[in-house]
Amino acid sequence: MNKKNLLAVVAGFATSFILGWLVYDVILKNFYQANSMAGLNKPEDQVIMWAIVMGALTGVLLMNYVLGLAGADTFMKGATTGLIVSVLMAASYDFYFYAATNMISKSEVICVDVLSSGVQGAIIGGVIGMVRGMAGKPAAAAA
């Protein structure tokens, strides 16, 4: 992994981790608790933090890979690609869970989850794209 990718992954991971906490543990916590299968979430003292870290890291590695293939080297290119990828991934999983499990029992959850995933993906993708662009440019020579 070169320096550009490493910096992009570190920045994307920090962004993903903070956004995940903010969105799922602060902003939408009550919504998901009220609209998801009873007992779905573990009590806070049983949450496996290393697995949350690995989930965020693998998602950011995938996003960085896709943004690299897309040539996204600005915030807007990264945000646009991140939005599209995140919306499609969330919709894919959410529709499956709604159709075949008891995990999601209301279609409103799909809408909220796809929207929140899209916003998070756009921000994470934007940060990764911006860092990829900055890390890929040589430093300006002093005049």
Side-chain angles (χ1 to χ4, degrees):
M1 180 176 286
N2 63 30
K3 181 180 176 182
K4 173 173 67 172
N5 286 314
L6 181 62
L7 291 173
V9 166
V10 169
F13 173 79
T15 304
S16 175
F17 199 79
I18 291 167
L19 280 175
W21 167 77
L22 185 63
V23 169
Y24 297 113
D25 207 34
V26 176
I27 298 171
L28 294 175
K29 182 177 186 174
N30 292 335
F31 173 81
Y32 281 114
Q33 285 177 342
N35 292 291
S36 297
M37 183 176 84
L40 179 66
N41 294 322
K42 292 182 177 187
E44 285 191 35
D45 63 336
Q46 294 179 15
V47 171
I48 303 168
M49 189 54 69
W50 69 262
I52 290 176
V53 168
M54 290 305 296
L57 182 60
T58 55
V60 167
L61 287 167
L62 175 62
M63 183 71 74
N64 183 59
Y65 177 74
V66 170
L67 293 178
L69 292 175
D73 59 358
T74 66
F75 185 89
M76 284 308 296
K77 287 180 185 177
T80 302
T81 305
L83 173 72
I84 293 166
V85 169
S86 296
V87 163
L88 292 173
M89 289 297 298
S92 172
Y93 286 113
D94 288 350
F95 282 120
Y96 172 76
F97 292 145
Y98 182 65
T101 75
N102 292 316
M103 195 165 102
I104 298 175
S105 60
K106 297 180 181 178
S107 59
E108 293 84 6
V109 175
I110 296 171
C111 296
V112 170
D113 194 56
V114 169
L115 180 63
S116 67
S117 294
V119 170
Q120 291 177 83
I123 294 168
I124 295 164
V127 168
I128 292 172
M130 180 180 68
V131 172
R132 289 179 62 81
M134 290 178 0
K137 295 178 182 168

